[in-house]
Amino acid sequence: MKMLIAEDELDLQQSIVTYLKRDDHVCEVASDYLEASEKVALYDYDIIILDINLVSGSGLDVLKTLKKDKKKAGVIIISANNSLTDRLEGLDLGADDYITKPFHLAELSSRINAVLRRGKYGGDEIIVFNEIRIDTKARTAYIEGNTMALTRKEYDLLLFFISNKGRVLSKEIIAEHLWGDDSDLLDNFDFIYVHINNLRKKMTSQGAKYIKTAYGSGYKFIED
Amino acid sequence: MTKKINLVKKASKTFLLTGVFLVILSSIVLYVFTRDLLENEIEEVLRSTEYRVAGALKKNNTVYSLPPVTEVHEVEVLGEEIIKDTIIYDPSEDEMELFRELSTYKTINGKIYRITIRDMVVETENFLYAIVISNIAIFILAFLLLFYFNTTRNLKLWRPFFQNLDQMKRFSLTSKAPLALMDSDVLEFSELKNEITVLTNKVRSDYESLKQFTEDVSHEMQTPLAIIQAKIDNIINEHDINERQFEQITSIQKDIQRLKQLNKRITTLTKIDNNQFVNIEEVSLTDLINEKIESFKELQFANLVYASKQEVTVSMDSYLADILINNLVSNAIRYSKKMEEILIITKGNLLIISNFGEKALEHPEHLFLRFYRESKDKHSTGLGLAIVKKICDLYGFQISYQFEVDHHIFSIDFTKELK
């Protein structure tokens, strides 16, 4: 997939690029408003990651031009501003998702995949990973044609793993993804282990041993 | 603290006390002075009559006697002159009357006479009373009139002061409504008004810039945090790190998460201050609590018990309602062990959340202050309850905390104060 990351903080821009390149995406960057406008006008992207506060202008203006030119790119806004009005303004202008800084790159990656799915298949997409097939519309996962009886959290967890396959996910990141802010109430993340173990059992019973433990307290979804 | 008294009342009181004092003093002075005057007058009359009687005796040698007014007796020896009061029966009025009596001894034509002259005192006493009473009456009337005019005048004169005082009482930092201060032609009041305006404007602008600063700081922190977060995510995936390093890095992530929470809460507080939550709708607390319990159960908190489920609806911003319930419940969760029941009750217009506690808080009065933590729980931002209080204040809900029978009890009364 071809992506544009319009972010004026170069450190953040480069980190995003580094993370996403591991999924074999083609990543281009824009470091200010003019560069972003120019690139959006000249080229087509599958996904544009757009910072609202660009040095020389607003990311929302880039979004407006994009929509005016009827470009099909999926747009994810990243902003330091998390007020509901800003969020709504961005989404009303046609952005596909909105994510507030600071965020985990795993979260961004997961959102990118969701946007890509919706953009391509009109919300009715099947994700296939070897013998695993996930119907995202029906929110059901199958292994070799057999339905896996997953709870809501186990399903979300599986999707999160597949969106970040090959990468280490710490318990903290997983907890934050699944439970958001409430996860900071927890003294320890042992219960994540319970959820992961359940998912793992349901998968390995069908021979799918993809969830590996990394560094004792992290997890990784990889092919053998 | 001494008892406070209203300005106009105090001025009136001084005025009235002065009045009473003046009435009493002037009446005494007038009484004493007039009485002496009248006594002198009577004495003069007595002496003048005595002189005439003596003159007549000298001339005619006849003894005039008209008891009890005039009595002349021939006596053997000279005596002392005496002036005294005496009581004599008055047949015309059929009662005893007070007379002033002058007895002198005179040698006229070789004979010694005792001349006694008497005059009725009653009339002079009546004068005395008439004068004193009319004086008192005039004084009281004058004072009442003066008091009335003085009070109304004072009220009018002080009106700008009272009105501005009233405005000051209503002054609120968070409200943007300008103060409707009243100007006055009295120099001091006008100055006071100007000073209040300057002062309140200064306070407001300082408060605004402080709020702006808080918001800016928490906003500006987001980007560096995002960079740190992103870099950490890459370090975990790119480099060969060992288990110990991974633990340290994930611990850094926890700290980032804390800062993120802190930022979010400061922003929420600032937004409530800035009145940015204006969407008021009917929120069903019962539904909201049921939802919360479900989502907390997923996080393995099965100890939440919704005991009494009376339907309670509140008109407020639904986002704030969510924060309100969430903060109260997570506060209870944070300070109780997994097995201890957390009781949630909705009843009438009340929401009650209670959890077990070994002992009462040491400083319950600080409970709702920003960054106050009763224990050194590092997970707590110290802002959760401050936000709860702020939300309650915004809508005029009454929140209270008690410690009863080994339980921390938070209750919110959603009955809005009638203002």
Side-chain angles (χ1 to χ4, degrees):
Chain A
M1 295 291 164
K2 199 178 172 194
M3 303 185 175
L4 177 69
I5 292 115
E7 164 65 65
D8 52 8
E9 288 288 341
L10 296 184
D11 273 344
L12 185 58
Q13 183 200 74
Q14 283 313 308
S15 298
I16 296 174
V17 171
T18 313
Y19 196 88
L20 295 180
K21 270 191 174 164
R22 291 169 67 100
D23 285 337
D24 297 326
H25 295 304
V26 177
C27 293
E28 285 190 17
V29 292
S31 306
D32 59 42
Y33 171 74
L34 292 176
E35 202 181 345
S37 309
E38 200 180 304
K39 287 204 166 164
V40 163
L42 289 175
Y43 311 108
D44 284 323
Y45 297 96
D46 297 296
I47 287 281
I48 297 171
I49 292 159
L50 194 59
D51 183 17
I52 288 189
N53 298 310
L54 291 167
V55 256
S56 47
S58 166
L60 290 179
D61 291 331
V62 178
L63 183 58
K64 280 178 202 160
T65 348
L66 196 74
K67 291 295 153 186
K68 209 174 70 194
D69 297 348
K70 298 206 163 59
K71 299 253 183 178
K72 283 226 170 73
V75 177
I76 297 176
I77 290 176
I78 48 175
S79 167
N81 222 333
N82 72 344
S83 83
L84 195 63
T85 40
D86 291 322
R87 214 175 267 251
L88 289 178
E89 194 184 351
L91 296 176
D92 281 349
L93 283 172
D96 297 275
D97 206 349
Y98 189 113
I99 181 165
T100 312
K101 290 177 188 174
F103 48 82
H104 285 289
L105 293 178
E107 187 66 39
L108 180 66
S109 169
S110 170
R111 306 262 190 126
I112 288 172
N113 282 333
V115 169
L116 282 174
R117 283 199 302 273
R118 287 206 294 270
K120 265 190 172 169
Y121 304 95
D124 184 8
E125 206 236 346
I126 310 290
I127 299 171
V128 180
F129 181 83
N130 295 347
E131 71 270 44
I132 303 173
R133 198 164 57 87
I134 302 174
D135 181 341
T136 53
K137 196 177 183 189
R139 291 181 64 88
T140 319
Y142 307 88
I143 290 187
E144 287 167 344
N146 304 320
T147 313
M148 294 168 77
L150 298 181
T151 64
R152 204 155 55 101
K153 291 291 167 196
E154 284 161 6
Y155 171 83
D156 287 340
L157 194 55
L158 179 61
L159 214 55
F160 193 51
F161 268 130
I162 290 180
S163 290
N164 288 286
K165 52 181 178 281
R167 299 195 186 102
V168 179
L169 300 176
S170 65
K171 280 182 190 166
E172 286 77 17
I173 295 178
I174 295 171
E176 234 185 292
H177 174 74
L178 295 183
W179 286 280
D181 294 340
D182 287 338
S183 63
D184 78 326
L185 273 178
L186 301 158
D187 293 330
N188 63 66
F189 292 93
D190 290 348
F191 79 101
I192 294 277
Y193 177 77
V194 179
H195 284 280
I196 288 175
N197 238 15
N198 288 343
L199 176 64
R200 201 187 239 159
K201 267 185 215 154
K202 288 178 187 174
M203 285 167 68
T204 43
S205 66
Q206 308 267 355
K209 299 176 180 173
Y210 299 120
I211 301 173
K212 309 279 184 226
T213 305
Y215 304 124
S217 61
Y219 299 93
K220 215 170 177 178
F221 196 85
I222 41 166
E223 288 184 73
D224 284 316
Chain B
M1 286 288 270
T2 48
K3 206 175 147 242
K4 299 291 177 220
I5 180 166
N6 178 317
L7 175 81
V8 173
K9 266 191 198 154
K10 175 131 188 168
S12 307
K13 204 173 150 188
T14 317
F15 192 86
L16 281 179
L17 283 176
T18 319
V20 168
F21 177 73
L22 277 180
V23 168
I24 292 171
L25 189 75
S26 70
S27 303
I28 291 171
V29 169
L30 204 63
Y31 176 81
V32 171
F33 188 68
T34 320
R35 196 194 57 196
D36 283 357
L37 205 72
L38 288 171
E39 265 176 17
N40 285 340
E41 202 61 30
I42 290 174
E43 214 179 305
E44 218 169 279
V45 170
L46 291 177
R47 286 201 187 282
S48 135
T49 315
E50 177 239 40
Y51 182 76
R52 284 203 186 102
V53 170
L57 271 177
K58 205 180 237 173
K59 215 171 150 191
N60 307 328
N61 238 351
T62 334
V63 177
Y64 292 95
S65 230
L66 184 62
V69 179
T70 316
E71 282 177 61
V72 181
H73 299 281
E74 216 182 305
V75 289
E76 297 301 316
V77 281
L78 279 169
E80 287 278 309
E81 187 189 280
I82 299 165
I83 295 182
K84 62 169 189 183
D85 285 340
T86 181
I87 290 170
I88 292 167
Y89 176 73
D90 178 8
S92 68
E93 295 279 322
D94 187 29
E95 58 183 15
M96 303 301 283
E97 295 282 8
L98 183 65
F99 279 75
R100 190 80 174 153
E101 179 187 297
L102 170 74
S103 311
T104 76
Y105 296 87
K106 293 260 163 166
T107 317
I108 299 164
N109 302 331
K111 288 177 184 165
I112 302 168
Y113 294 97
R114 192 184 72 194
I115 305 170
T116 308
I117 310 291
R118 297 194 184 96
D119 199 357
M120 229 151 95
V121 180
V122 183
E123 267 177 31
T124 62
E125 253 188 358
N126 287 347
F127 274 127
L128 187 62
Y129 292 139
I131 289 170
V132 170
I133 286 170
S134 52
N135 170 64
I136 292 175
I138 288 166
F139 253 102
I140 287 177
L141 195 69
F143 259 99
L144 283 180
L145 277 174
L146 275 175
F147 175 69
Y148 173 74
F149 289 122
N150 189 46
T151 310
T152 42
R153 171 101 192 117
N154 263 349
L155 278 176
K156 206 177 159 195
L157 183 73
W158 286 90
R159 208 159 75 88
F161 177 81
F162 290 125
Q163 179 157 338
N164 292 350
L165 185 67
D166 199 44
Q167 286 288 316
M168 292 292 289
K169 282 183 197 158
R170 280 183 218 178
F171 176 72
S172 146
L173 268 179
T174 44
S175 130
K176 292 229 170 13
L179 286 181
L181 293 177
M182 192 179 179
D183 205 359
S184 161
D185 51 2
V186 178
L187 179 68
E188 285 81 358
F189 288 162
S190 182
E191 276 179 1
L192 184 68
K193 181 218 149 199
N194 292 340
E195 287 308 309
I196 292 173
T197 315
V198 170
L199 194 69
T200 49
N201 285 347
K202 170 116 181 65
V203 167
R204 270 204 181 134
S205 78
D206 282 359
Y207 179 69
E208 283 300 319
S209 55
L210 192 67
K211 262 195 318 192
Q212 193 58 47
F213 175 76
T214 323
E215 205 179 336
D216 290 348
V217 165
S218 64
H219 189 258
E220 287 306 317
M221 266 168 64
Q222 315 270 63
T223 305
L225 276 180
I227 295 170
I228 298 170
Q229 180 82 79
K231 284 187 173 173
I232 287 175
D233 286 347
N234 278 326
I235 288 173
I236 292 178
N237 288 295
E238 275 176 3
H239 303 273
D240 259 341
I241 54 168
N242 60 35
E243 211 158 294
R244 168 111 187 87
Q245 287 166 329
F246 179 79
E247 264 170 34
Q248 284 179 332
I249 286 170
T250 47
S251 149
I252 294 173
Q253 277 181 326
K254 272 189 199 165
D255 292 333
I256 294 172
Q257 167 79 356
R258 265 183 75 199
L259 277 175
K260 205 167 129 183
Q261 283 288 337
L262 191 67
N263 257 341
K264 204 175 160 189
R265 293 193 170 148
I266 290 174
T267 319
T268 308
L269 274 172
T270 323
K271 278 184 191 159
I272 299 173
D273 274 342
N274 285 342
N275 267 326
Q276 288 182 18
F277 296 100
V278 285
N279 302 319
I280 290 182
E281 49 193 294
E282 290 291 314
V283 181
S284 161
L285 284 190
T286 329
D287 293 351
L288 192 58
I289 291 167
N290 281 325
E291 247 171 63
K292 281 284 153 202
I293 291 180
E294 276 313 305
S295 80
F296 277 115
K297 266 185 187 155
E298 278 184 346
L299 280 165
Q300 314 280 297
F301 297 113
N303 52 342
L304 298 174
V305 178
Y306 193 0
S308 161
K309 297 189 182 189
Q310 268 187 32
E311 181 68 37
V312 175
T313 49
V314 180
S315 30
M316 64 189 293
D317 188 288
S318 60
Y319 178 67
L320 290 185
D322 192 83
I323 294 182
L324 186 76
I325 303 295
N326 199 69
N327 286 6
L328 280 174
V329 173
S330 27
N331 182 67
I333 289 177
R334 183 168 281 133
Y335 295 104
S336 54
K337 297 189 185 78
K338 282 241 162 126
M339 299 311 289
E340 294 162 1
E341 268 187 5
I342 292 167
L343 223 57
I344 305 172
I345 295 167
T346 48
K347 196 170 68 184
N349 253 336
L350 283 178
L351 165 72
I352 300 164
I353 295 183
S354 78
N355 64 290
F356 177 80
E358 279 170 4
K359 55 182 169 49
L361 296 185
E362 278 172 38
H363 299 288
E365 70 279 9
H366 296 160
L367 197 58
F368 299 112
L369 294 183
R370 290 176 187 196
F371 300 114
Y372 175 75
R373 295 184 191 88
E374 183 80 13
S375 66
K376 297 249 182 297
D377 174 7
K378 61 177 178 178
H379 286 289
S380 162
T381 56
L383 285 175
L385 289 178
I387 291 177
V388 167
K389 178 82 170 86
K390 194 118 233 168
I391 295 173
C392 288
D393 288 351
L394 179 69
Y395 294 107
F397 305 149
Q398 296 295 311
I399 181 159
S400 56
Y401 162 81
Q402 285 137 302
F403 185 78
E404 271 171 22
V405 227
D406 293 340
H407 277 79
H408 300 289
I409 302 166
F410 286 90
S411 50
I412 300 181
D413 186 348
F414 291 100
T415 323
K416 288 189 187 182
E417 284 173 272
L418 295 170
K419 276 183 186 169

